[in-house]
Amino acid sequence: RKGGVKMEKLIITAAICGAEVTKEDNPNLPITAEELAEDAVKAEKAGASIIHLHVRDEEGNPTQDGEVFKKAIDAMKERGVSAIIQPSTGGAAGMSFEERAQPIELKPEMATLDCGTTNFGDAIFVNDLPMMREFGKEMKRLNILPELECFEPGHVYNALQLDKENLLPNHLHFDMVLGVPGAMKASLKNLMFMVDLLPEGSTWTVAGVGRHELPLATHAILMGGHVRVGFEDNIYYKKGVLAESNAQLVERIARLAEELGREVATPDEAREILKIK
Ligand code: KMH
Ligand code: ZN
């Protein structure tokens, strides 16, 4: 319970692939359309109601090619995935707006909208306000719910600026991505600080990077937030032990939620919470 109000069910997002992780890092990383679809099926079965999706080309490099996204999404649908499929419009650092915007044209129910420029390891991930406005406009036109990706507190203010300009839908859903090298550190204090900036009625999830994934997810379950796990953010099950699958990481969150008295949302319940029509 939060402030005496029953907490809504927990939305678990599986970020199954990402743009930066390689099979050398974890051989269980899904890359091809078939692998991505199989992982999505298993992650949904384990409790995921959103699949955050990046895709790769034949060499395994990140791509934002609409056709490659379509192939992966079709493969997921063919296998009966009913989770919300949320393509990335962030892609990889260094990609242009045009490159990154391609999956929007597939009219997914959701897509990410990155809310500010940030250091991203040794690279710079560029998201200036004009670019954010373009993403916001396009997503609004196509009735796509943006997940507002915030890597530091200034990004929340950028999202609120877009909202002020009427470029976002009525429901605001944020993802606090904490622990990216060069951006906001992953800590409970930082998460609470960022969540405190959110307007009444918005929903949020947390993606803690690396070893911070599990503790921040646990805090989010207790705080009434939602949780993102998966190979994009973390390849380990525990210190020194690689995760066997994305589903294994999702399964642990579902188990924890159960123990902590928070029910896990089905895909349709997630749609309801996020006001996806
Ligand atoms: N790969 C990162 C540079 C998103 O999906 O929108 C950006 C990213 C965010 O992963
Ligand atoms: Zn991503």
Side-chain angles (χ1 to χ4, degrees):
R1 284 176 186 270
K2 187 184 176 194
V5 180
K6 193 172 182 289
M7 280 194 203
E8 63 202 353
K9 291 191 181 179
L10 179 74
I11 299 171
I12 305 176
T13 299
I16 58 178
C17 173
E20 292 82 20
V21 186
T22 65
K23 282 221 194 249
E24 283 73 53
D25 299 324
N26 185 330
N28 302 316
L29 178 76
I31 296 262
T32 64
E34 282 66 37
E35 289 170 347
L36 289 165
E38 270 164 34
D39 255 50
V41 168
K42 288 182 193 149
E44 180 176 328
K45 213 165 162 198
S49 49
I50 301 180
I51 305 294
H52 170 64
L53 185 63
H54 287 254
V55 290
R56 307 292 181 96
D57 65 17
E58 278 167 12
E59 278 78 53
N61 296 316
T63 174
Q64 287 292 103
D65 188 326
E67 281 305 311
V68 184
F69 267 106
K70 187 172 178 324
K71 211 170 146 197
I73 293 170
D74 287 349
M76 287 179 192
K77 299 255 164 86
E78 274 161 28
R79 285 167 176 75
V81 169
S82 69
I84 300 162
I85 300 172
Q86 178 200 79
S88 167
T89 68
M95 289 179 174
S96 67
F97 168 80
E98 288 73 20
E99 213 173 344
R100 286 167 50 180
Q102 293 175 77
I104 297 179
E105 298 310 316
L106 301 172
K107 299 187 192 150
E109 291 177 281
M110 278 185 103
T112 55
L113 196 167
D114 291 278
C115 290
T117 298
T118 182
N119 287 304
F120 199 94
D122 288 350
I124 299 175
F125 180 38
V126 176
N127 297 283
D128 54 29
L129 269 168
M131 190 192 277
M132 287 176 59
R133 287 188 185 103
E134 286 308 310
F135 276 124
K137 262 186 223 160
E138 274 301 283
M139 291 192 207
K140 202 165 185 188
R141 183 175 73 82
L142 298 170
N143 192 28
I144 299 167
L145 177 73
E147 178 167 282
L148 303 161
E149 307 281 314
C150 298
F151 296 76
E152 51 104 331
H155 294 183
V156 176
Y157 290 102
N158 286 343
L160 298 182
Q161 177 61 33
L162 248 62
D163 188 39
K164 209 165 136 189
E165 295 176 24
N166 205 22
L167 295 172
L168 297 178
N170 288 336
H171 183 72
L172 301 182
H173 178 67
F174 293 82
D175 178 21
M176 309 307 188
V177 185
L178 299 182
V180 169
M184 187 81 157
K185 291 263 181 232
S187 72
L188 174 58
K189 200 171 166 188
N190 288 347
L191 176 63
M192 289 175 77
F193 175 69
M194 285 173 69
V195 168
D196 269 351
L197 303 175
L198 304 185
E200 189 78 31
S202 31
T203 48
W204 60 272
T205 190
V206 68
V209 174
R211 67 191 163 85
H212 303 288
E213 181 174 86
L214 182 59
L216 285 188
T218 310
H219 289 308
I221 295 170
L222 294 167
M223 287 164 72
H226 302 280
V227 168
R228 177 172 117 171
V229 291
F231 287 164
E232 174 164 348
D233 305 323
N234 166 46
I235 55 171
Y236 290 100
Y237 188 72
K238 57 184 175 189
K239 192 167 185 221
V241 180
L242 290 172
E244 285 164 14
S245 64
N246 283 291
Q248 189 191 25
L249 297 169
V250 171
E251 218 166 71
R252 174 166 58 184
I253 298 302
R255 205 164 57 235
L256 270 173
E258 186 67 35
E259 288 293 333
L260 295 171
R262 189 104 186 259
E263 281 181 72
V264 174
T266 63
D268 278 343
E269 287 166 343
R271 287 181 178 92
E272 210 169 298
I273 293 165
L274 298 171
K275 304 190 170 47
I276 291 178
K277 290 182 197 83

